Structure formats: structure tokens, C-alpha cells
């Protein structure tokens, strides 16, 4: 029900500018742009469902939220704690800032069974479809091969080394990427690296906690790999999240810092599982309150832009 927070006003302006006449709107779609699929979805919604932007925003939020909660309900050993993590880890803010990308995140998260079961063709088709909403979805194709490896295997070790090398040689690496993108709609994208000072190191440390615990307790967890076939995927996704944020710390929080969300949602499944099987009941009495305090501190340490809604007014 919002009218402003972060990039909401830009989305609303874009939706309102779409013609209510389908033929006119179809002719105005930018097929060479970054998100023709999203433009088509918006056109159909405005012409055949409602031209009220709040119904449009609400529909996107319901679809995105439902995809996330369906997976959590299916795989989390503690659904309500996972839902708490969805709020306290600020994952929910993607539904209000970067919602176009979060549609891709949510839909691909709903397809997590296909990653686990090795249904590459099906998964790739969905990735290609979602890339018409946000091009970053294409990153999930190489991620697919990484996260299907056994946790802490040699391939994962090589992946970690590759990420570390990217951090060390970030500037020449992304200069090469910028050259490769020359002549495309993404030409000059890496120039955004000069506009911010990268991902906050505290964020990197925060997201390093789950994979660090998974490595520490790896001997215990490997006994559950056959019983819970989603567990290895979640561990590798959590590690990938931390490594992407590490790259973002040395490059850009604006560009690279937006990528980890595709893998970050798997922490919502992994963390409750780690707490349940990695610690004794007596240890959990200490670990659980301490971790909840960390989550609360993390939540309140973030800076939020003010929120405007016809329902609530302005909340700052």
C-alpha cells in the first residue's frame, strides 16, 4: 500500500506511464532494454486487471512472498523462526526496494527442487525467462553447478580461491568485464564502482556466520546429507552469499551487492537447521539467545529511508 520508499516512486512512475490501450502499450515496449518481460507483465496487468498501481504493487508482493513462504514451509525445520529471519535479516525489504529483481529471486527459489534434483534444462528455461525481468538472474546458471558440489569439496575450494583472487585483482578484472560489455545496454555498468565504497564489512561478517558454523560442524552435518538432500545445497548457497558480499566489499555495494540475494534466501532454511542439529540442547540455550541478539542488532543497525503510504502516512 506504499507510495514511497527507496525506488518505489520510480516503479510507480513507470507503471503510470504505460498506455491503457494494449496496442499502443505493446508498440512502446523496449525490446532492446534490460527488462522486456517485466514490461510485458506490467502492460497485461494494467490493461486487463487494474490500472491502480497499488493493486499492482500488492500483487507483486503477494506472488513474491508466497513463493518464499511455500519453500520455507516445505523445507524449514522451524518455519516460524525462518519467517522471523525473513524480517530480521531484512530480506523482506527487497519486496519494497529492488522488487523487480526479487520477483526473479522468489520464482527461482520456488524452483530449488530442480537444483537439488539436477533438472538443469527446466531450471535454465526458468532462469532465461526471469532474465527478461532482471538480467542478474542469469548468474544462477553458473551458481547451479557450484552449489551442486559436495560441501567443502575440492571444487568448492577452487571456487573460494577464485573469489579471493577476484578480490585481490578486482580492478583489472572488472575493467575487463567493462570492456566485454562494450556496445551493449550494460556498457559502463562497472563505472558504478566509483559511486560507493562497497558492501559494509559488518554485512560481510554477518553473512559469514552461517557458512562458518557449517564448516565448524561439517563432520556432524555430513551425516545428514543423505537424509536431507537440500542441506548441501543450502550450505553451498550460504557460502556463495558470503563470498559475493566479500567481492562487493572490494568493489561495489550498488552493483555486486545486489547479486547475493539469489543465494541469501537459502540461509532462511539453513540457519534453523544448523541450530537444531549442530548444537546440543544445553548449547542451544546459549547460542539461540545470542544469535537472536545479533539479529536484532543487525536489524536496528541498518539505515532505512522513510516510508510513505496512503494507509499509514509517513513513517521515518
Amino acid at each position: 500500500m506504499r507510495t514511497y520508499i527507496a525506488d518505489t516512486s520510480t516503479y510507480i512512475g513507470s507503471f503510470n506511464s504505460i498506455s491503457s490501450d494494449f496496442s499502443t502499450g505493446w508498440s512502446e515496449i523496449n525490446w532492446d532494454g534490460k527488462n522486456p518481460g517485466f514490461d510485458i507483465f506490467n502492460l497485461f496487468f494494467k490493461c486487463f486487471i487494474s490500472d491502480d498501481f497499488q493493486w499492482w504493487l500488492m500483487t507483486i508482493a503477494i506472488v513474491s512472498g508466497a513463493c518464499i513462504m511455500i519453500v520455507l514451509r516445505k523445507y524449514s525445520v522451524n518455519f516460524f523462526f525462518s519467517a522471523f529471519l525473513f524480517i530480521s535479516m531484512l530480506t523482506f525489504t527487497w519486496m519494497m526496494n529492488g522488487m523487480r529483481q526479487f520477483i526473479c529471486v522468489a520464482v527461482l527459489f520456488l524452483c530449488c527442487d530442480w537444483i537439488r534434483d539436477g533438472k538443469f534444462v527446466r531450471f535454465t528455461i526458468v532462469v532465461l525467462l526471469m532474465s527478461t525481468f532482471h538480467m542478474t538472474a542469469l548468474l544462477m546458471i553458473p551458481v547451479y553447478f557450484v552449489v551442486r558440489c559436495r560441501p567443502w569439496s575440492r571444487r568448492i575450494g577452487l571456487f573460494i580461491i577464485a573469489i579471493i583472487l577476484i578480490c585481490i585483482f578486482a580492478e583489472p578484472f572488472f575493467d575487463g568485464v567493462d570492456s566485454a560489455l562494450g556496445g551493449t545496454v550494460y556498457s559502463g555498468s562497472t563505472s558504478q564502482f566509483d559511486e560507493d565504497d562497497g558492501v559494509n564489512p559488518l554485512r560481510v561478517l554477518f553473512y559469514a556466520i552461517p557458512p562458518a558454523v557449517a564448516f565448524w560442524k561439517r563432520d556432524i552435518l555430513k551425516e545428514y546429507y543423505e537424509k536431507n538432500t537440500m542441506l548441501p545445497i543450502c550450505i553451498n548457497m550460504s557460502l556463495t552469499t558470503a563470498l559475493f558480499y566479500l567481492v562487493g566489499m572490494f568493489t561495489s555495494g550498488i552493483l555486486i551487492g545486489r547479486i547475493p540475494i539469489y543465494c541469501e534466501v537459502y540461509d532462511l532454511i539453513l540457519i534453523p537447521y544448523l541450530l537444531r542439529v549442530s548444537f546440543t540442547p544445553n548449547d542451544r540455550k546459549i547460542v539461540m539467545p545470542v544469535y537472536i541478539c545479533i539479529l536484532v542488532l543487525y536489524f536496528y543497525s541498518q539505515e532505512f529511508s522513510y516510508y510513505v503510504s496512503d494507509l499509514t502516512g509517513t513513517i521515518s
Side-chain angles (χ1 to χ4, degrees):
M1 301 298 292
R2 67 196 185 278
T3 55
Y4 177 84
I5 184 173
D7 58 7
T8 292
S9 57
T10 302
Y11 278 115
I12 293 173
S14 177
F15 180 78
N16 287 337
S17 68
I18 298 172
S19 173
S20 296
D21 177 72
F22 184 80
S23 298
T24 302
W26 186 264
S27 66
E28 293 175 348
I29 291 176
N30 181 12
W31 296 100
D32 296 325
K34 300 178 183 180
N35 52 295
F38 188 61
D39 292 340
I40 293 171
F41 166 76
N42 295 342
L43 177 64
F44 271 87
F45 190 96
K46 187 166 187 177
C47 292
F48 301 114
I49 299 177
S50 174
D51 61 359
D52 186 332
F53 71 83
Q54 290 192 324
W55 280 109
W56 173 68
L57 291 173
M58 189 183 301
T59 300
I60 291 174
I62 290 171
V63 171
S64 301
C67 288
I68 298 295
M69 292 302 153
I70 286 170
V71 178
L72 296 184
R73 191 67 177 169
K74 183 176 182 179
Y75 287 113
S76 177
V77 295
N78 187 337
F79 171 76
F80 294 103
F81 187 63
S82 291
F84 169 72
L85 291 171
F86 181 71
I87 301 298
S88 59
M89 295 178 73
L90 301 174
T91 311
F92 80 99
T93 59
W94 283 87
M95 302 173 80
M96 298 181 287
N97 182 29
M99 67 176 191
R100 177 166 59 93
Q101 183 178 355
F102 196 67
I103 296 171
C104 303
V105 172
V107 171
L108 292 177
F109 190 47
L110 189 64
C111 298
C112 64
D113 287 355
W114 293 348
I115 299 178
R116 180 196 61 188
D117 298 337
K119 306 292 186 181
F120 177 69
V121 175
R122 295 182 190 178
F123 185 72
T124 301
I125 290 172
V126 178
V127 168
L128 294 176
L129 175 63
M130 298 319 299
S131 71
T132 65
F133 279 61
H134 206 280
M135 285 292 290
T136 55
L138 291 172
L139 184 73
M140 287 302 289
I141 294 178
V143 167
Y144 169 93
F145 293 102
V146 172
V147 301
R148 280 182 47 78
C149 300
R150 190 173 180 85
W152 319 117
S153 63
R154 181 176 297 179
R155 271 200 241 176
I156 294 297
L158 292 173
F159 177 59
I160 294 172
I161 293 171
I163 293 295
I164 293 172
L165 290 175
I166 288 174
C167 293
I168 295 173
F169 302 104
E171 187 171 344
F173 176 82
F174 286 104
D175 283 346
V177 171
D178 204 36
S179 298
L181 293 174
T184 72
V185 293
Y186 294 94
S187 179
S189 292
T190 59
S191 63
Q192 293 186 51
F193 293 176
D194 298 327
E195 299 176 15
D196 69 274
D197 54 1
V199 173
N200 190 315
L202 290 177
R203 181 182 290 268
V204 179
L205 180 62
F206 178 78
Y207 282 100
I209 294 174
V213 172
F215 180 75
W216 174 32
K217 301 290 186 177
R218 62 191 182 281
D219 292 335
I220 297 173
L221 292 172
K222 69 182 180 182
E223 298 175 8
Y224 294 87
Y225 290 169
E226 298 299 326
K227 186 185 302 183
N228 183 349
T229 51
M230 188 58 71
L231 178 59
I233 302 293
C234 291
I235 291 173
N236 288 333
M237 285 288 192
S238 183
L239 175 64
T240 303
T241 298
L243 291 174
F244 277 142
Y245 275 129
L246 180 65
V247 173
M249 187 174 74
F250 289 93
T251 54
S252 169
I254 296 175
L255 192 61
I256 305 300
R258 298 177 66 88
I259 293 174
I261 185 61
Y262 288 97
C263 307
E264 185 181 318
V265 287
Y266 288 82
D267 273 334
L268 305 178
I269 300 173
L270 176 63
I271 292 171
Y273 203 86
L274 289 177
L275 290 168
R276 174 167 294 190
V277 305
S278 299
F279 299 95
T280 65
N282 286 334
D283 288 340
R284 281 200 298 273
K285 291 178 182 178
I286 300 172
V287 173
M288 193 77 165
V290 169
Y291 189 61
I292 289 174
C293 287
I294 292 173
L295 290 167
V296 172
L297 287 171
Y298 177 77
F299 181 90
Y300 283 106
S301 69
Q302 305 304 301
E303 294 181 5
F304 296 97
S305 58
Y306 65 90
Y307 175 93
V308 181
S309 168
D310 293 340
L311 181 67
T312 65
T314 300
I315 302 175
S316 58

